[in-house]
Amino acid sequence: MSCNFTEKLSLLIDGELEREEAEQVKLHLSSCLICQQAQTDFLSLREQIRSHPYEPDASVERRAIKQILNSERVPFWEKRIALPVPVFSLVMLALFALFAWSVYIRATRPARIERATAPVNNQAPQDGLDLSRFDKGERAIIYTTKR
């Protein structure tokens, strides 16, 4: 046989119930033999746990303190990235595809045609300064200003 109040009884012993609910559980406890037995079991278990000797391990304490003290913020460039294998393989496949695409684009691009840099009308420049090499075969626009 079991009673539905045993969990609430554990909460009552730990002091985790509201006042009204604690009163209901205490009222039920006075009339239920199952809950009275559960209360004695909980209290004896609590005493057994308290009576157990506790000896902290010094090496574990030092390791925990060291870990707490060394838990400084790690700079972004020193952080480790852990990726599952399928995600890593997809990233590598995407990088390879990008590399292959860029090689393909460079290979299929038409060759650049160098245009002649000589003056079109084969006349010597009037002031001795030849700017036709900067023209790249485009149509020249001449701006004149008054001096």
Side-chain angles (χ1 to χ4, degrees):
M1 242 161 86
S2 66
C3 183
N4 294 334
F5 277 84
T6 53
E7 185 176 338
K8 289 187 179 183
L9 180 63
S10 173
L11 294 174
L12 174 70
I13 292 172
D14 292 337
E16 298 177 3
L17 288 180
E18 297 291 326
R19 185 173 177 223
E20 298 84 23
E21 199 170 11
E23 291 298 325
Q24 285 179 346
V25 173
K26 286 179 185 178
L27 183 63
H28 174 77
L29 182 61
S30 64
S31 64
C32 182
L33 294 175
I34 295 173
C35 288
Q36 289 172 4
Q37 182 62 40
Q39 181 185 23
T40 56
D41 290 343
F42 282 138
L43 292 174
S44 67
L45 180 63
R46 178 183 273 181
E47 284 303 316
Q48 287 177 2
I49 291 172
R50 283 185 183 162
S51 67
H52 184 72
Y54 171 70
E55 297 174 11
D57 189 7
S59 64
V60 173
E61 279 185 11
R62 275 187 258 119
R63 197 173 337 130
I65 290 172
K66 185 178 179 182
Q67 185 179 10
I68 290 169
L69 293 177
N70 288 338
S71 64
E72 296 175 4
R73 190 160 219 181
V74 178
F76 179 73
W77 55 88
E78 291 180 4
K79 287 186 177 181
R80 290 182 166 201
I81 299 174
L83 290 176
V85 173
V87 174
F88 178 74
S89 60
L90 284 175
V91 168
M92 293 306 291
L93 183 65
L95 288 174
F96 179 74
L98 183 65
F99 174 74
W101 179 71
S102 66
V103 168
Y104 172 76
I105 292 297
R106 285 183 183 257
T108 58
R109 186 180 342 166
R112 234 183 182 174
I113 300 173
E114 294 294 325
R115 295 192 173 130
T117 58
V120 177
N121 56 8
N122 293 332
Q123 294 178 355
Q126 295 172 357
D127 59 354
L129 182 63
D130 184 15
L131 298 177
S132 63
R133 62 187 172 136
F134 300 111
D135 187 18
K136 295 185 178 155
E138 301 288 324
R139 182 175 176 181
I141 300 174
I142 301 173
Y143 296 98
T144 58
T145 57
K146 292 183 181 181
R147 294 188 181 195

